[in-house]
Amino acid sequence: MTRINQLITPSFLVDLDKMEQNSSNTAELCKNNGKMLCPMVKTHKSMAIANLQKAHGAAGFMAGTLDEAEELVQHGFQDITLAYPVAAVENLERVAALAKQAHIIASFDGIEAALQLQKLLEPQRLQIEYLIIIDCGLHRFGVKPNKAVELARELSRLSALTFKGISTHPGHVYGVSKLSDIERVAQEEMAAMEMAKECLVKAGFAVEIVATGSTPTLPLVAQNKTITTLRPGNYVFYDAIQVALGIVPLERCALTVQATIIANSGENIFIMDAGSKCFGLDQGAHSASLVKGYGIVKEHPELLVEGLSEEVGKIRATSPTSLKVGDKIEVIPNHVCAAVNMSSFLFGHRNGIVEKVIDIDARGGTNRKLTTSIIWKK
């Protein structure tokens, strides 16, 4: 029996009870509101956690990368939405290969990537369904709601592609600082999708899927009658940014990075053996600063993670502390999605006792064999 405080550091820990509770609560929210749950895999990039989400009612998954989509298919998952447009023949060939093995839904916000996919699919007599991405305020991907019909008409001329519905992501919610602003973003999110669907239906298009997703706006948009599919990601772990937004209390955060204090370089300054290569440098998405420091030290409110070098972190004690060299601490990352991508595995534990090792098996590099074969072919 191994306790987490016996692990070498830095180590990535996940509290299994909290992760399971988070998964169950979100699945219940979707079920109670008649929504399909299709989690975003980029948060955890783990097939073991995808299986947990499926066990709690996830009907499909959304992939942020082709690596994630391929790993999902290899593990038997059959309903996968590609979050973003895909372009260039080398990448599109991977999409076509996936479409031969599973139900793949593409996403477009313009004609160019769709034309490239059509050119590849048509000779193979393959069909792929797609969603049109709607811009609800993030201004990254997507067309304005009143422009959805124009794009749908352009795409309808492509014989290998079949219109399925619309999607959006209110990522600008991470640029706000209080709950009332989250409500405003949720209203913008819902209004954009309602308008886009109304315009498309009036133009004669059957809109089967109306998908959206962000963890902060999830409880609000779940009640909307137009939305059919919810695609949150962060909820499985939560993080310091979600706490700062008031979405969950600190106790709901399931993932921590365990580090050892290796130096006491001044009266109030301590150094830990985990840095930016464990946490990243996020203090809020989309240029917003939502948190103070670079993570929350559990059970030590007097400690501030003041700075990060690549392999070490600088901690300041803002009031008296019992911390000393050799002690181990757990730090909740500001942005858990970035932190998880820094490791190949997590230690799953209950009550501080390690129960399992969870592989992060859909990180970058899963297509190494394919890439190598392309190099030698050329």
Side-chain angles (χ1 to χ4, degrees), residues 26-39:
T26 295
E28 193 69 19
L29 175 69
C30 292
K31 181 180 178 181
N32 290 343
N33 287 279
K35 308 303 182 192
M36 181 179 292
L37 176 61
C38 182

Side-chain angles (χ1 to χ4, degrees), residues 80-335:
I80 299 154
T81 301
L82 304 178
Y84 317 118
V86 179
V89 65
E90 293 81 7
N91 297 322
L92 292 168
E93 285 174 346
R94 297 168 70 188
V95 176
L98 287 168
K100 295 174 183 176
Q101 305 170 68
H103 177 211
I104 303 297
I105 299 178
S107 298
F108 300 115
D109 68 349
I111 191 67
E112 294 86 356
L115 285 168
Q116 291 180 29
L117 184 57
Q118 164 75 18
K119 184 178 179 180
L120 185 69
L121 295 178
E122 192 173 26
Q124 302 180 57
R125 296 183 179 180
L126 285 174
Q127 286 282 140
I128 286 186
E129 296 174 337
Y130 68 89
L131 305 177
I132 289 177
I133 306 171
I134 304 299
D135 178 9
C136 70
L138 178 57
H139 309 317
R140 182 177 63 184
F141 292 107
V143 296
K144 298 295 183 186
N146 61 352
K147 297 292 185 179
V149 171
E150 181 181 331
L151 179 56
R153 284 174 175 155
E154 284 189 274
L155 293 172
S156 68
R157 297 197 295 267
L158 305 182
S159 59
L161 304 177
T162 302
F163 176 72
K164 195 73 172 177
I166 54 179
S167 67
T168 196
H169 171 57
H172 53 304
V173 72
Y174 290 108
V176 307
S177 58
K178 54 185 184 293
L179 285 173
S180 60
D181 287 335
I182 294 175
E183 294 171 4
R184 173 183 54 78
V185 172
Q187 291 299 326
E188 293 171 356
E189 175 185 2
M190 292 183 285
M193 299 308 274
E194 289 167 357
M195 178 185 291
K197 180 182 178 182
E198 182 181 358
C199 292
L200 286 161
V201 170
K202 283 183 178 179
F205 291 92
V207 183
E208 182 178 334
I209 295 173
V210 181
T212 187
S214 84
T215 293
T217 64
L218 186 71
L220 298 168
V221 300
Q223 303 171 50
N224 184 272
K225 294 181 180 180
T226 298
I227 305 298
T228 66
T229 306
L230 296 173
R231 314 189 299 186
N234 189 285
Y235 77 93
V236 73
F237 297 132
Y238 293 115
D239 55 26
I241 289 175
Q242 301 293 336
V243 173
L245 285 170
I247 304 304
V248 290
L250 193 67
E251 293 73 25
R252 289 286 295 279
C253 294
L255 188 136
T256 58
V257 177
Q258 183 174 234
T260 299
I261 300 302
I262 58 174
N264 182 190
S265 58
E267 185 177 350
N268 299 315
I269 301 297
F270 298 84
I271 306 298
M272 64 177 172
D273 62 352
S276 63
K277 287 183 176 177
C278 288
F279 298 103
L281 292 169
D282 275 347
Q283 289 188 292
H286 310 300
S287 301
S289 182
L290 295 171
V291 293
K292 190 175 182 181
Y294 295 93
I296 300 172
V297 184
K298 283 183 62 176
E299 300 178 5
H300 285 280
E302 79 282 8
L303 300 181
L304 171 67
V305 182
E306 190 173 73
L308 298 175
S309 300
E310 290 189 33
E311 306 294 359
V312 299
K314 179 181 178 182
I315 297 173
R316 180 180 296 276
T318 59
S319 60
T321 182
S322 60
L323 200 66
K324 61 185 183 299
V325 172
D327 285 351
K328 289 180 179 177
I329 56 173
E330 289 182 58
V331 183
I332 298 169
N334 285 346
H335 185 187

Side-chain angles (χ1 to χ4, degrees), residues 22-24 26-27 30 35-47 49-65 68-69 72 77 79-83 211-215 218 229-237:
N22 294 341
S23 298
S24 176
T26 295
C30 292
K35 308 303 182 192
M36 181 179 292
L37 176 61
C38 182
M40 175 53 132
V41 176
K42 79 170 179 65
T43 296
H44 56 75
K45 294 180 181 283
S46 168
M47 297 305 102
I49 297 176
N51 273 313
L52 170 67
Q53 292 173 313
K54 183 178 180 181
H56 281 110
F61 292 91
M62 183 165 65
T65 68
E68 293 169 7
L72 285 164
F77 296 101
D79 289 285
I80 299 154
T81 301
L82 304 178
T212 187
S214 84
T215 293
L218 186 71
T229 306
L230 296 173
R231 314 189 299 186
N234 189 285
Y235 77 93
V236 73
F237 297 132

